[in-house]
Amino acid sequence: MTAATMMHHPVARIGLLVVQRAALASIFLLIWLLAAQRMPAFVLPGPERVLQALWNLTRTDSFLHDIGVTMSRVVTGFVLAALAGTPLGLALGSSRALARFFEPLLAVMNTVSSAIWAVFAIIWFGISNATTVFVVFMTAMPLILTNVWQGSQNVDRQHVELARSFRMSRSQVLRKIYLPSILPYFFSGARLAFGFGWRVSLVAETLGSSDGIGYRLRQAADLVQTDQVFAWTLLLVVLMLLIESGVLKPLERRLFRWKPL
């Protein structure tokens, strides 16, 4: 088997990817370890200290509750954003009049930062789950809407005209012509929106929550428990990688398995 053939073999590609990821992680850990040896532990704790702190956190009564409540807030906000952003993006992409009318409003929503939405949410909803859900929604929805809108603009107009020549209704055109075409754009926007939503949820929980990962991060920072701050951060990275590689990417590959690699 030649080197070129091995590169195209699925097992060889996976093996190469694993080696690359392991090398990258090793380099990162080495840099972290060397830097931690030259700094006080309260400034930059070493990997072993952070792992010990993470192990201690897993043994607390609130550990699973904090992870679960943060995940539920992020998923709820993201699902609501997808349910609102997708039909709005389709509507704007299929109607130039609507697009011209609502474009300034979308620009404003994309300009306002998540921190400002968090302040508004605290004023409106107080210390509650709705605060974090609202911030995730207001961050994720414009991203999904914009991507779906762009995807709708790239729909082949000949297909639309052909559908209309068969007297298909507007809802049928949207469902059978636009929707399949915008799915790649939706997934691109959804993955970006989920990542942003995950991060801004921590901001919202830091400012307006009494539980969750963001709240625990703020607690640890206030008490200068840097190892716990790093432990929670490491956990967040691991969770995001698991969701990305275990849920989003497999779902995207399954839906678009007809596309050439």
Side-chain angles (χ1 to χ4, degrees):
M1 184 180 293
T2 64
T5 305
M6 288 181 65
M7 288 300 294
H8 290 284
H9 195 276
V11 176
R13 288 204 306 268
I14 294 173
L16 179 61
L17 183 62
V18 170
V19 171
Q20 290 174 341
R21 295 291 186 267
L24 182 62
S26 300
I27 293 171
F28 173 76
L29 285 173
L30 180 61
I31 295 173
W32 182 7
L33 184 62
L34 293 175
Q37 290 174 351
R38 289 162 175 77
M39 294 184 185
F42 70 89
V43 175
L44 181 63
E48 72 289 342
R49 190 182 182 95
V50 172
L51 289 175
Q52 182 60 50
L54 181 57
W55 170 249
N56 292 337
L57 288 174
T58 62
R59 301 171 68 182
T60 60
D61 296 334
S62 61
F63 179 73
L64 292 178
H65 169 76
D66 289 321
I67 295 176
V69 75
T70 296
M71 285 290 295
S72 66
R73 290 164 180 165
V74 173
V75 170
T76 301
F78 173 76
V79 169
L80 291 174
L83 291 176
T86 302
L88 287 175
L90 278 170
L92 296 183
S94 61
S95 172
R96 293 182 180 179
L98 282 176
R100 283 195 300 268
F101 185 81
F102 285 105
E103 189 172 7
L105 179 60
L106 184 60
V108 170
M109 293 176 67
N110 280 321
T111 302
V112 177
S113 72
S114 302
I116 295 176
W117 289 126
V119 172
F120 285 145
I122 292 171
I123 295 172
W124 294 334
F125 305 113
I127 307 298
S128 67
N129 288 338
T131 297
T132 303
V133 171
F134 175 79
V135 175
V136 173
F137 173 83
M138 293 306 298
T139 302
M141 194 272 288
L143 293 172
I144 295 175
L145 192 159
T146 302
N147 272 54
V148 172
W149 180 8
Q150 290 176 348
S152 300
Q153 291 176 321
N154 291 325
V155 171
D156 192 332
R157 297 298 168 184
Q158 291 183 346
H159 293 166
V160 177
E161 294 301 325
L162 182 62
R164 288 173 178 167
S165 69
F166 283 103
R167 300 185 182 277
M168 293 175 65
S169 66
R170 186 175 183 83
S171 63
Q172 288 177 316
V173 172
L174 286 174
R175 189 174 68 255
K176 296 184 178 182
I177 304 296
Y178 278 89
L179 190 58
S181 301
I182 61 94
L183 273 178
Y185 295 89
F186 168 80
F187 267 90
S188 176
R191 287 171 63 179
L192 186 64
F194 189 82
F196 272 101
W198 184 261
R199 290 194 288 272
V200 301
S201 70
L202 303 182
V203 176
E205 287 182 343
T206 298
L207 297 175
S209 182
S210 59
D211 54 6
I213 296 176
Y215 173 74
R216 299 301 174 189
L217 273 168
R218 188 191 69 189
Q219 253 190 347
D222 290 343
L223 297 173
V224 200
Q225 295 172 330
T226 315
D227 54 348
Q228 289 194 21
V229 173
F230 273 77
W232 281 115
T233 304
L234 179 62
L235 177 65
L236 284 170
V237 172
V238 171
L239 287 174
M240 273 303 301
L241 290 176
L242 288 175
I243 293 171
E244 176 76 13
S245 61
V247 179
L248 298 180
K249 282 186 177 180
L251 181 60
E252 189 172 7
R253 282 197 299 267
R254 181 175 178 82
L255 288 174
F256 304 122
R257 59 184 180 274
W258 50 270
K259 293 180 66 176
L261 296 175

